[in-house]
Amino acid sequence: MISCSPRVRRLPSVELSIGVGFFAAVAACAITALVVPIGQLEVRFAVMGLAGCCYAAFAADLRAAAVMGLVVWTLATGFLIQPAGELIVTGVPDVLRFAAVVAMCLAGGLYGIARRRARAGGRRVERRPGLPQPPRTRPALRRVPPRRYAPVRSCPGGPAPRPPAGRSGRTLPRCRHQGGSSGPPR
């Protein structure tokens, strides 16, 4: 039985990490295509692998890191080698690039996990809570009854007695000691 104590920190879900990683990979691919010349294929793959490694370290999840490696490799192979956007695998060089990019992303994911555990100080970090938590409720608003008697400091004997239950329309004296039936203060 897993309990959610205040010391347990929750991380974003794997699906969210993968989705954000996809958009990070597309942005890295666009920037790499603009900055690195077409003839330098290995530099383009290195830049894409470094971008995937950095995001995997940020996400700190091996599943997201593996998917990030696959996405980075497909984008780099499809858009940085073949400008037409065709995913063509030519043989051993592409397999080696795939292994290198996925290894970089997995290394970044392992580094992110180690960094997060060191920062947490040995506390447990959960991906999903073990038990569903009830929603936090706001405290009920308390209805304050209208003021029907004089304040305490204006009467030496204390406030006038409370009115009877319900609204009878009776007026109460302002102060027991002064007498008079002038009604509630306004």
Side-chain angles (χ1 to χ4, degrees):
M1 182 171 170
I2 298 173
S3 65
C4 288
S5 66
R7 289 186 274 169
V8 176
R9 215 175 84 205
R10 295 184 191 153
L11 299 176
S13 67
V14 177
E15 294 86 9
L16 181 65
S17 297
I18 290 172
V20 172
F22 174 77
F23 287 109
V26 170
C29 184
I31 292 170
T32 303
L34 292 174
V35 174
V36 181
I38 294 175
Q40 300 178 347
L41 297 178
E42 302 308 322
V43 174
R44 286 181 160 199
F45 265 95
V47 170
M48 286 295 291
L50 184 62
C53 178
C54 290
Y55 181 76
F58 174 74
D61 186 359
L62 288 181
R63 294 173 290 184
V67 172
M68 185 69 179
L70 179 67
V71 168
V72 164
W73 178 78
T74 55
L75 287 173
T77 302
F79 292 104
L80 298 181
I81 291 180
Q82 304 292 331
E86 298 174 358
L87 184 61
I88 299 173
V89 180
T90 57
V92 175
D94 284 326
V95 172
L96 291 177
R97 288 186 197 121
F98 173 74
V101 168
V102 171
M104 287 177 71
C105 289
L106 288 175
L110 286 172
Y111 170 75
I113 290 170
R115 187 192 71 213
R116 193 164 276 170
R117 282 188 184 159
R119 188 185 312 159
R123 289 178 285 174
R124 186 173 178 173
V125 180
E126 284 190 0
R127 225 357 114 179
R128 295 181 186 196
L131 299 173
Q133 297 293 319
R136 292 186 177 176
T137 58
R138 291 178 34 193
L141 297 177
R142 201 171 59 101
R143 183 175 175 270
V144 179
R147 210 165 112 191
R148 297 200 180 254
Y149 46 85
V152 173
R153 68 190 106 121
S154 67
C155 180
R162 294 189 67 93
R167 295 189 181 251
S168 63
R170 287 184 358 181
T171 59
L172 298 173
R174 289 194 91 127
C175 177
R176 286 184 265 178
H177 298 287
Q178 294 174 355
S181 178
S182 60
R186 302 219 182 231

